[in-house]
Amino acid sequence: MTATLIWILVVLVLIGVYLSWTAGRLDRLHARIDAARAALDAQLLRRASVAQELATSGVLDPAASIVLYEAAHAARQSVEEQREVAESELSQALRAVFAEPQQVEAVKEAPGGEETALELAEAVRRVPMARRFHNDAVRAARALRRHRKVRWFRLAGHAPFPMAFEMDDEPPAALIERAA
């Protein structure tokens, strides 16, 4: 009888340790999502800021400046529910403005344009990477949260279900080619 109780106690302790380890892993994944989201937000803000700076610099033609400024301003001022759409529209505006390699050359020829073009190219190049890191962390947390043990024992606590950030982040080809 005593041996049976000891074995039951050992099994319960092992189950408790396993559940505790799983809850810790889930907590680390949620922390990773938060860090990745902060990095993504920083890259999106950097891209919008550089685009807005370029739009107000007078280097671009007036129509391109207006399109780029409005898209960058909308991306910076958007509420969370509209953020993906606003950022996608900024990506589309960047592709429209820098569709031709001549536009990139015109920016580079302006005083301080070389640095601005490189900074914008770096910003548009980093956004897809930051979004990929965020979405990978979300995917891993979702996979773990789908397990029965996580749902049955409520190991996720009150943390909201992680959502991926889906947007059009394709950079303008002419900008990336010329800046490299």
Side-chain angles (χ1 to χ4, degrees):
M1 180 73 173
T2 306
T4 305
L5 287 176
I6 290 174
W7 279 110
I8 290 173
L9 184 63
V10 167
V11 168
L12 288 176
V13 167
L14 289 176
I15 289 172
V17 168
Y18 178 70
L19 290 175
S20 175
W21 176 79
T22 303
R25 180 172 168 226
L26 189 57
D27 186 54
R28 287 189 301 277
L29 281 172
H30 282 187
R32 193 171 121 203
I33 289 171
D34 291 342
R37 181 57 188 246
L40 175 61
D41 286 342
Q43 292 305 321
L44 291 171
L45 181 63
R46 180 174 178 230
R47 179 181 76 152
S49 297
V50 174
Q52 205 169 19
E53 179 183 323
L54 183 61
T56 59
S57 68
V59 175
L60 302 172
D61 62 270
S65 292
I66 290 171
V67 167
L68 193 57
Y69 180 83
E70 286 181 355
H73 181 70
R76 289 183 71 179
Q77 300 298 321
S78 64
V79 294
E80 191 60 37
E81 294 80 29
Q82 299 296 319
R83 183 96 188 263
E84 293 172 351
V85 173
E87 294 295 345
S88 294
E89 288 173 355
L90 177 56
S91 295
Q92 293 165 2
L94 285 166
R95 282 197 306 272
V97 169
F98 294 107
E100 301 295 324
Q102 295 85 358
Q103 189 76 336
V104 178
E105 292 304 322
V107 169
K108 285 185 168 186
E109 289 170 3
E114 184 78 29
E115 295 83 23
T116 303
L118 286 173
E119 190 176 357
L120 183 60
E122 279 299 310
V124 299
R125 201 178 291 145
R126 288 180 180 179
V127 166
M129 288 187 294
R131 188 175 74 85
R132 196 170 309 121
F133 289 141
H134 175 266
N135 288 348
D136 286 346
V138 166
R139 196 173 304 113
R142 282 181 166 185
L144 185 57
R145 286 182 70 152
R146 283 190 192 107
H147 290 207
R148 282 189 201 114
K149 65 181 177 266
V150 173
R151 290 191 321 260
W152 287 351
F153 292 102
R154 302 178 197 273
L155 299 181
H158 297 289
F161 195 74
M163 301 301 290
F165 194 87
E166 297 300 331
M167 64 172 270
D168 174 7
D169 60 3
E170 183 181 339
L175 182 65
I176 299 300
E177 291 170 4
R178 298 287 183 194

